[in-house]
Amino acid sequence: QVQLVESGGGLVQAGGSLRLSCAASASIFSCNTMGWYRQAPGKQRDLVASITGGGSTNYADSVKGRFTISRDNAKNTVYLQMNSLKPEDTAVYYCACELILNLKWYWGQGTQVTVSS
C-alpha cells in the first residue's frame, strides 16, 4: 500500500497562487497514474489534474492554463501549482494514486483550499 499526505492548502485571495504537495510513502512510479481531485461542499469529487508514470498530463477544462501538475521523483512528491485562483476553486483537494501492484486507488486525507473574492 501507499500512504499519501497532502499539504500546502490554505486561504488565498482571488488571483493569487498556491502550491499543493503530495508526499508518497513509496516511489510515485508505484502508481500508474497520480491525480489531484477536489470536492466542494455538496458537489462530487472531480478530477483536477493527473500525471502518468510516463509524464503525460491531463487537466480539467476549468483549470487548464492555470494549474500545473508536476513531480519530483527523488522526493516521491507530486505538486499542483495553482495560479490565478478563483473563488470557485475553493474545495478540499485530494491526492490519489492508482497502485500498480493491485490497481487499487489510494487517497490522501485532503487539504482545504479557500479562495476569497
Side-chain angles (χ1 to χ4, degrees), residues 2-4 22 24-35 51-54 71 78 95-101 103-106:
V2 62
Q3 184 179 28
L4 306 172
C22 173
S25 62
S27 170
I28 58 176
F29 286 107
S30 297
C31 310
N32 285 325
T33 302
M34 295 198 71
I51 186 167
T52 69
R71 66 191 180 199
V78 174
C95 180
C97 159
E98 184 192 20
L99 197 66
I100 292 174
L101 285 175
L103 300 181
K104 291 183 178 180
W105 284 91
Y106 294 84

Side-chain angles (χ1 to χ4, degrees), residues 10-71:
L11 176 64
V12 65
Q13 292 183 342
S17 298
L18 209 59
R19 189 179 75 163
L20 305 183
S21 299
C22 173
S25 62
S27 170
I28 58 176
F29 286 107
S30 297
C31 310
N32 285 325
T33 302
M34 295 198 71
W36 286 97
Y37 294 74
R38 67 186 182 188
Q39 186 170 23
K43 297 184 178 181
Q44 66 181 9
R45 186 176 298 184
D46 292 326
L47 174 71
V48 177
S50 65
I51 186 167
T52 69
S56 298
T57 58
N58 185 52
Y59 297 92
D61 287 341
S62 60
V63 307
K64 200 170 296 182
R66 299 188 297 120
F67 291 10
T68 303
I69 187 169
S70 62
R71 66 191 180 199

